Each structure stands twice: as C-alpha cells, then as structure tokens.
Amino acid sequence: MGLIGSLLTLPVTGPARAGFWVVDQVVAAAEAELYDEGRIVAELRALAAEADAGRITEEEHAAAEEVLLERLMEARARRAHSQETP
C-alpha cells in the first residue's frame, strides 16, 4: 500500500495503531516493574523480616521466597539478554 492508500485508511487504522501502542507501553511498564531487581531484593528482605517476626509460617516463607527467587533469576536473564543484543 502506497502513501495515498495509507493516508486514505488513516482514519480507520490510526486509532487501532494508537491503541496497540498504548497496550505495548503498559505491558513494557508492567514487565519493568515486575522484573526490577531492586524491587525483588526489597521484597525478599521484607519477606525475611515477616518470617523473623513470626507473622508468617516457615512454609509460607519458603513458598514466597521460591517465587521471588525465580523472578530474580528471570530478571537477571532478561538483563543479560538485553545487554547482548545491541
């Protein structure tokens, strides 16, 4: 489709493209927050404090810690992958 076709279909395709762009931005922001290593480490510390204070059981601590450690490994893998690709 050439320039004329793109211009003629812009009123229909423009809002759809903008909607996809917004969704992509929201997903990127959510992933950045989910895989923020500093945030994950802070959550691990808070979890340890909860366990030390006796507010959660050892089983709850172990289960939550496992999830957080998996997220931390994924975050580090994503960071390493992003550093490899220019």
Side-chain angles (χ1 to χ4, degrees), residues 3-4 6 19 32 37 40 47 50 52 58-59 61 82 84 86:
L3 178 62
I4 302 292
S6 294
E37 290 184 43
I40 297 169
L47 182 66
E50 291 287 313
D52 291 343
E58 195 62 37
E59 293 80 20
H61 176 264
S82 69
E84 291 174 0

Side-chain angles (χ1 to χ4, degrees), residues 36-84:
D36 178 15
E37 290 184 43
R39 183 182 200 115
I40 297 169
V41 170
E43 289 179 29
L44 282 166
R45 287 185 182 134
L47 182 66
E50 291 287 313
D52 291 343
R55 287 180 275 227
I56 60 173
T57 66
E58 195 62 37
E59 293 80 20
E60 291 171 325
H61 176 264
E65 184 180 48
E66 182 179 346
V67 170
L68 288 170
L69 290 175
E70 286 175 9
R71 264 183 42 208
L72 184 60
M73 289 187 301
E74 177 67 22
R76 289 181 176 167
R78 285 172 175 255
R79 186 185 63 193
H81 179 69
S82 69
Q83 289 175 351
E84 291 174 0

Side-chain angles (χ1 to χ4, degrees), residues 1 4-20:
M1 182 180 317
I4 302 292
S6 294
L7 288 175
L8 291 174
T9 60
L10 186 60
V12 174
T13 60
R17 287 184 186 156
F20 287 127

Side-chain angles (χ1 to χ4, degrees), residues 13-33:
T13 60
R17 287 184 186 156
F20 287 127
W21 180 83
V22 168
V23 169
D24 286 342
Q25 297 303 309
V26 170
V27 168
E31 285 181 345
E33 188 174 320

